Amino acid sequence: MTGRAIARILAEFGCAMRAPARRLALALALGATLPAPAADLAGLSAAPVAVQLAEGSPAVVVLWTPGCMTCRKSLAEIERFVAIAAKDGVAVRTVVPAGVYDDARAMLARRGLSLPVVADENRLDASTLRILLDSPLAYAVDRDGKIVATRGGLLGVRVLEGLANAAQGGEPGPSGLSR
């Protein structure tokens, strides 16, 4: 979904949103899987968390919450992607807010998933937490610790592969990662 499409939808409802976090939240709530403008996601408190967790290697960092329906729909795909990325030297980290860490671990166990999950120690601000109620956020971080691509919304293997490709210095489109 493009910015123009979002603006058109907003105009139909008679509202305008100028703040990037609110625009992003609306787009994600509408179910879009969008290549979010780097300025929109890089301005969220999740960005420094993603860079820190990359630990100097190409990485895809996914922030999510167990109460988010889009996040829950993405989890099996994220787990499939972890195995693919490991073969290609891309680290995958998943992060949940500290307050829901135990709930996240229990939910993964009930679903038979074994994703590695890290609890964020209260570094996420209120606007980021609001977005995470509706959508996972994914960051591609290169080995220099720079965010090179971002995604929000439903995360499938192809989207995650594109992020991994960007983290390795390629374009964030379909990648050449092995399956």
Side-chain angles (χ1 to χ4, degrees), residues 1-124:
M1 178 174 289
T2 66
R4 287 187 182 141
I6 295 168
R8 198 170 338 119
I9 292 168
L10 290 172
E12 289 176 18
F13 288 99
C15 58
M17 297 174 103
R18 290 179 173 73
R22 286 191 303 220
R23 265 196 325 266
L24 180 62
L26 176 66
L28 296 174
L30 293 172
T33 298
L34 65 149
D40 285 359
L41 289 183
L44 296 175
S45 62
V49 172
V51 169
Q52 181 183 8
L53 290 172
E55 300 172 344
S57 65
V60 174
V61 180
V62 179
L63 290 90
W64 61 282
T65 60
C68 160
M69 181 61 73
T70 307
C71 300
R72 291 193 304 256
K73 289 179 181 178
S74 299
L75 290 174
E77 292 288 296
I78 296 168
E79 181 152 311
R80 282 184 45 218
F81 171 68
V82 168
I84 295 168
K87 293 177 191 172
D88 293 302
V90 176
V92 179
R93 311 274 190 263
T94 67
V95 184
V96 296
V100 296
Y101 178 77
D102 291 334
D103 295 337
R105 298 294 309 152
M107 184 188 73
L108 290 171
R110 281 192 308 274
R111 292 171 171 240
L113 300 173
S114 59
L115 279 175
V117 178
V118 175
D120 173 66
E121 295 302 324
N122 302 315
R123 293 173 289 182
L124 301 175

Side-chain angles (χ1 to χ4, degrees), residues 115-137:
L115 279 175
V117 178
V118 175
D120 173 66
E121 295 302 324
N122 302 315
R123 293 173 289 182
L124 301 175
D125 63 16
S127 64
T128 301
L129 291 171
R130 273 194 303 275
I131 291 170
L132 288 175
L133 292 175
D134 295 318
S135 171
L137 300 175

